[in-house]
Amino acid sequence: MKNLVKKACEDIGIKMTESQAQQFEKYYNILIEYNGKINLTRITQPGEVAVKHFADSLTLTKYFDIPENCSLIDVGTGAGFPGIPLKIYRDDINLTLLDSLNKRLNFLNAAADEIGIDAVTVHSRAEEAGRNKTYREKFDIAVSRAVARLNTLSEYCLPLVKVGGCFIAMKGPSLGEELKEAENAVKLLGGEIVSVNEFNLGEAGERTIVIIKKIKLTPEKYPRQGVKIKNKPL
């Protein structure tokens, strides 16, 4: 795995140290171990994990200059992507991993210990965290690789971001219509789309990274209850 992750990262212009490559190898081993007990990922082959999970998570750094010592929350982190790879690559980041399933958080805590990184794990639904004073508008960056459409994802993530910070959505191929339908939601929530970055990740296919700057406070009525977000997206 060490050589595979080094190669996958070199292919996107990121140089990996030997120590970081070892951390990724430990991450892969514990991911596969736990994947036999709980459903974390359908992608399990070393080469595929190196590209589609590890390198893919780090593509964010090619399009956004992460401030030193910033606070970053990975919303709906699942198996820890992109948060844990970003922390391995940039150990100065103050990382929070948010997920609604406790068994995934058990894995994330075990993985962080095994890899040797510091991360805060939060057991919560995103919309509940967004209404919680502990987390609301407390982060420099919120990032998500979740599959929800951008208007929905914005309501989950933008309330967590400080004014002046950014929400970064890591998405699949060209968004077109999805971007257009998200414009109103982003504006209502206090955000502004500042860049849309499309690129090819080789065998992993087309990817898009959308960077949304938080330019004003999110109105108190957002985020709404989860059912409303799902059934009546902004």
Side-chain angles (χ1 to χ4, degrees), residues 119-177:
V120 174
T121 54
V122 177
H123 182 211
S124 174
R125 299 184 68 86
E127 67 273 19
E128 292 167 358
R131 293 191 296 269
N132 186 327
K133 290 180 181 178
T134 302
Y135 309 112
R136 185 179 178 88
E137 293 175 327
K138 291 294 193 292
F139 296 92
D140 298 306
I141 300 170
V143 62
S144 185
R145 235 179 39 137
V147 295
R149 290 181 76 82
L150 189 58
N151 55 349
T152 299
L153 209 51
S154 295
E155 189 166 359
Y156 288 136
C157 295
L158 271 170
L160 296 163
V161 180
K162 298 174 182 176
V163 173
C166 286
F167 160 45
I168 303 172
M170 305 183 74
K171 305 284 289 178
S174 57
L175 301 183
E177 182 186 328

Side-chain angles (χ1 to χ4, degrees), residues 59-176:
T59 56
L60 184 156
T61 65
K62 304 296 293 180
Y63 299 97
F64 183 80
D65 187 14
I66 300 175
E68 193 171 351
N69 299 314
C70 75
S71 54
L72 183 149
I73 184 167
D74 181 359
V75 179
T77 185
F81 309 121
I84 290 179
L86 287 169
K87 177 68 176 176
I88 291 173
Y89 183 59
R90 283 282 304 274
D91 188 49
D92 61 287
I93 291 169
N94 294 296
L95 177 64
T96 298
L97 302 168
L98 183 146
D99 202 88
S100 60
L101 283 185
N102 200 50
K103 59 185 178 181
R104 284 201 287 253
L105 294 175
N106 291 338
F107 159 72
L108 294 168
N109 286 321
D113 286 345
E114 179 68 21
I115 298 163
I117 60 169
D118 293 322
V120 174
T121 54
V122 177
H123 182 211
S124 174
R125 299 184 68 86
E127 67 273 19
E128 292 167 358
R131 293 191 296 269
N132 186 327
K133 290 180 181 178
T134 302
Y135 309 112
R136 185 179 178 88
E137 293 175 327
K138 291 294 193 292
F139 296 92
D140 298 306
I141 300 170
V143 62
S144 185
R145 235 179 39 137
V147 295
R149 290 181 76 82
L150 189 58
N151 55 349
T152 299
L153 209 51
S154 295
E155 189 166 359
Y156 288 136
C157 295
L158 271 170
L160 296 163
V161 180
K162 298 174 182 176
V163 173
C166 286
F167 160 45
I168 303 172
M170 305 183 74
K171 305 284 289 178
S174 57
L175 301 183

Side-chain angles (χ1 to χ4, degrees), residues 43 52 60 72 76 137 145 182 190 192-193 204 208 210 216 218 221 227:
I43 298 169
K52 296 180 181 179
L60 184 156
L72 183 149
E137 293 175 327
R145 235 179 39 137
E192 178 182 60
I193 297 172
T208 308
V210 183
K216 60 183 179 182
T218 299
K221 63 181 177 179
V227 174

Side-chain angles (χ1 to χ4, degrees), residues 156-207:
Y156 288 136
C157 295
L158 271 170
L160 296 163
V161 180
K162 298 174 182 176
V163 173
C166 286
F167 160 45
I168 303 172
M170 305 183 74
K171 305 284 289 178
S174 57
L175 301 183
E177 182 186 328
E178 188 176 335
L179 267 173
K180 201 160 190 174
E181 74 176 12
E183 286 177 1
N184 182 57
V186 169
K187 187 176 179 180
L188 278 174
L189 295 161
E192 178 182 60
I193 297 172
V194 294
S195 70
V196 179
N197 308 278
E198 297 180 345
F199 59 96
N200 191 294
L201 195 61
E203 65 184 72
E206 300 292 327
R207 293 285 190 272

